Amino acid sequence: MSLQAATAAILLSLVLVSAAGARPLRVMSVDQCSDQFVLALAPRNEIVGVSPHAFDPDAWLRKDARGLTVRRPTLEEALAAHPDIVVSYWTAEGRLADALQAHGARVVRIEDAYDFGGVRANIRRVAAALGRGPQGEAMIARMDAKLAASRGAWGGRRAVYLTPGAFTAGPDTLVGAIMAGAGLTDAVRAPGYGPISLERLTLDPPNLLVLGFFDDIDGGRWEPGRSPLVSRLAKGRTAARLPGAWLGCPAWFAADATAELARAAPKRGAP
């Protein structure tokens, strides 16, 4: 056997030994938002736990969570799963991430996003940690295609975002980016999320309303945004009703909200 052939044989054997010793990652998510990233990006055989909120009505991929192990976001349950990677956005157990890292798990955090650039960064961060870079880039490409098709649909018309709790969104919010992506101008000037006066809205009605989370009936029928006053105000002014599943997580499906807004826009040239 030549030296070249012998070297090739040794390298091949090393690759085979390495592959035989490799095992799938063990991936766990601890809240509803991280559930969506894990369900979309991790191979199913690598998911060792999803949160109890993976099956909520406003969970985007709730059907994909069927059959997976549900684990409460506590240190005891997480350690019982022996995860290599834990994906997290928000959990009431504030010290959970630090405790998991101290026990050898890698915690990948989904960050708040104020625009679609932040969403792309979240996708790439989780995809890289799971070794699923190409899948993450494909997801971004699909998201960007929806945004490109939606651009300028409303031609700059002004709108106000409203939730059942009488909250709105101004600049530097993902909801603001969703609206801008469809060509709407946010009529709210104050940055971030905050309460809005329904009386002021009634006295000075906006041209358009974008309603969010009104599909969530668990919030209560007596929330201020569900009052007859708002119902009358919304009649003929509602650009779209966006389901909570599109709005509660800084993820790729925020682009579906933009696409829905764009579909509701009057066709160019229409009266």
Side-chain angles (χ1 to χ4, degrees):
M1 180 183 292
S2 69
L3 179 60
Q4 209 170 19
T7 303
I10 292 170
L11 288 174
L12 178 60
S13 66
L14 289 173
V15 168
L16 292 174
V17 168
S18 176
R23 63 169 177 80
L25 286 172
R26 297 177 63 82
V27 183
M28 180 178 169
S29 50
V30 296
D31 52 68
Q32 189 192 82
C33 184
S34 61
D35 290 333
Q36 311 316 302
F37 279 82
V38 167
L39 290 168
L41 288 168
R44 192 172 179 85
N45 69 312
E46 294 186 355
I47 302 174
V48 296
V50 294
S51 85
H53 294 290
F55 305 93
D56 286 358
D58 60 344
W60 181 249
L61 295 176
R62 58 189 177 277
K63 292 181 180 178
D64 294 347
R66 291 173 182 168
L68 293 173
T69 302
V70 176
R71 299 184 190 274
R72 292 180 298 119
T74 65
L75 182 60
E76 291 77 15
E77 289 223 15
L79 291 179
H82 303 290
D84 299 305
I85 295 176
V86 176
V87 183
S88 172
Y89 175 52
W90 179 89
T91 175
E93 188 72 35
R95 293 174 292 182
L96 180 61
D98 292 339
L100 285 168
Q101 289 179 140
H103 283 81
R106 179 183 176 189
V107 177
V108 181
R109 289 183 174 87
I110 297 163
E111 303 291 345
D112 283 329
Y114 309 104
D115 54 29
F116 284 98
V119 173
R120 293 183 195 96
N122 279 331
I123 294 170
R124 288 186 172 120
R125 184 180 304 110
V126 177
L130 301 180
R132 306 283 283 179
Q135 289 81 0
E137 292 305 316
M139 181 183 290
I140 289 170
R142 291 191 294 271
M143 181 184 79
D144 286 345
K146 292 177 182 178
L147 294 175
S150 304
R151 192 170 296 126
W154 280 96
R157 291 183 65 183
R158 294 167 64 81
V160 169
Y161 171 74
L162 181 66
T163 71
F167 273 73
T168 192
D172 299 324
T173 63
L174 186 55
V175 166
I178 287 169
M179 292 167 62
L184 286 170
T185 299
D186 197 335
V188 175
R189 300 290 183 87
Y193 297 96
I196 188 167
S197 167
L198 297 181
E199 291 77 10
R200 183 173 296 178
L201 271 183
T202 306
L203 293 172
D204 185 18
N207 292 329
L208 292 168
L209 284 173
V210 175
L211 303 181
F213 291 98
F214 276 80
D215 59 320
D216 178 15
I217 59 173
D218 292 336
R221 298 184 181 278
W222 304 109
E223 290 176 304
R226 299 186 193 275
S227 69
L229 180 149
V230 173
S231 296
R232 290 193 296 270
L233 179 67
K235 191 172 293 185
R237 288 190 176 89
T238 301
R241 291 174 174 261
L242 304 179
W246 287 342
L247 302 171
C249 176
W252 65 96
F253 39 80
D256 290 82
T258 292
E260 178 65 19
L261 277 174
R263 278 192 290 270
K267 302 302 179 187
R268 299 297 172 83

